[in-house]
Amino acid sequence: MSNNSKKIIVAVDGYSSCGKSTFAKAIAARLGYIFIDTGAMYRAVTLYAIEQGAIVDGVVDEAAVVALLPKIDIGFKFNSERGASDIYVNGECVESKIRSIEVSNCVSKVSSIAQVRSKLVAMQQAMGRERGVVMDGRDIGTVVFPDAEMKIFMTADAKVRAERRYAELTAKGDKVTMQEILENVISRDRADENRAISPLRRADDAELLDNSHMSVEEQMAWFMERYEQCIK
Ligand code: DC
């Protein structure tokens, strides 16, 4: 935990599966900050839409998803075993369900819906109002907190990212192939960069972190050097 009393917002944006959450979680633990995984929020809406029949066989009915929004109550609860918060939808913990390949395949489409973004962005801004948060996503430094004191834009080689995701999913027992994971990573990059609203882009004042060949410890050292400068 940092002794410094000045609380800031750390925005961590970047490509899918490049370890943003692992990195952001480690920073939050180090600084004694709250960690917010905004991708989990888009995934939670997607899961709920699948369960409620607004997405069938991978086809997203946008009007039906929008109609569900007032019925979705998203919350976080700290899980001390994981050292991070689990996400809840209407009181049910959906932390593991939201990482499935089915959700991954539909989440880009759901996150391109304007009403979905405005609901989740408003929630994220409320959660960061007191500062002292590390938030990871795609548009944190550009849209959610353009005034964040620290902005980091993460990237890594697509193949390295797919290998990491593959290891994570197969460790959980999911039956997936390396090829489908790589295709999902590449197609989500494309969708994130090309959507009309809040496309993924590096904020002009964000620092680039390519972690293809960096350990978590090396990334932390990289971060702490910049953090000490920032709070001086
Ligand atoms: O970080 P992730 O892969 O769990 O994110 C899931 C999807 O949500 C991703 O494909 C893009 C979208 N997303 C977004 O549009 N804006 C955010 N702030 C976070 C995620």
Side-chain angles (χ1 to χ4, degrees), residues 12-18 20-21 37-43 46 98-99 103-104 106-112 117 120-121 124 135-140 144 165 184 187-189 191-192 195 197-200:
V12 180
D13 289 305
Y15 290 94
S16 65
S17 307
C18 62
K20 292 190 300 297
S21 296
D37 173 359
T38 64
M41 298 168 75
Y42 289 93
R43 287 172 178 274
T46 305
I98 59 166
R99 312 280 164 199
V103 170
S104 297
C106 301
V107 65
S108 296
K109 183 86 182 150
V110 171
S111 65
S112 70
R117 299 207 73 83
L120 298 190
V121 166
Q124 291 152 12
M135 201 173 274
D136 91 64
R138 303 293 188 288
D139 59 344
I140 312 305
V144 182
R165 193 78 169 190
N184 176 261
S187 80
R188 281 202 294 147
D189 285 356
D192 288 347
R195 70 167 169 248
I197 314 157
S198 310
L200 173 65

Side-chain angles (χ1 to χ4, degrees), residues 18-20 154-156 160 164 209-215 219:
C18 62
K20 292 190 300 297
M154 286 179 75
T155 185
V160 171
R164 288 176 185 161
L209 172 61
D210 182 335
N211 73 355
S212 303
H213 306 291
M214 281 171 92
S215 66
Q219 294 172 59

Side-chain angles (χ1 to χ4, degrees), residues 48-221:
Y48 188 73
I50 293 170
E51 289 177 348
Q52 297 296 311
I55 300 174
V56 179
D57 293 335
V59 179
V60 179
D61 178 340
E62 291 195 17
V65 174
V66 171
L68 286 175
L69 288 176
K71 298 185 197 152
I72 308 179
D73 178 31
I74 295 177
F76 288 94
K77 214 191 284 172
F78 192 73
N79 176 336
S80 52
E81 267 174 43
R82 243 173 29 90
S85 296
D86 287 337
I87 190 161
Y88 286 71
V89 173
N90 298 339
E92 184 201 350
C93 178
V94 292
E95 189 57 42
S96 71
K97 279 195 197 169
I98 59 166
R99 312 280 164 199
S100 71
I101 191 87
E102 192 188 5
V103 170
S104 297
N105 283 336
C106 301
V107 65
S108 296
K109 183 86 182 150
V110 171
S111 65
S112 70
I113 302 172
Q115 292 91 331
V116 171
R117 299 207 73 83
S118 57
K119 174 173 169 132
L120 298 190
V121 166
M123 277 185 70
Q124 291 152 12
Q125 288 171 335
M127 289 189 280
R129 197 167 291 137
E130 309 290 323
R131 306 192 104 69
V133 300
V134 185
M135 201 173 274
D136 91 64
R138 303 293 188 288
D139 59 344
I140 312 305
T142 51
V143 175
V144 182
F145 288 110
D147 62 342
E149 289 81 356
M150 284 187 81
K151 297 183 186 178
I152 298 159
F153 191 87
M154 286 179 75
T155 185
D157 182 72
K159 223 167 147 243
V160 171
R161 289 186 280 139
E163 276 160 10
R164 288 176 185 161
R165 193 78 169 190
Y166 179 77
E168 204 178 282
L169 289 172
T170 50
K172 273 200 322 177
D174 282 12
K175 300 259 177 293
V176 287
T177 64
M178 183 61 202
Q179 190 55 29
E180 73 179 313
I181 301 292
L182 182 61
E183 278 166 17
N184 176 261
V185 162
I186 293 169
S187 80
R188 281 202 294 147
D189 285 356
R190 205 169 299 136
D192 288 347
E193 287 177 319
N194 293 307
R195 70 167 169 248
I197 314 157
S198 310
L200 173 65
R201 68 167 183 83
R202 176 181 168 190
D204 296 336
D205 50 352
E207 287 232 40
L208 185 70
L209 172 61
D210 182 335
N211 73 355
S212 303
H213 306 291
M214 281 171 92
S215 66
V216 175
E217 291 72 30
E218 286 167 333
Q219 294 172 59
M220 272 310 285

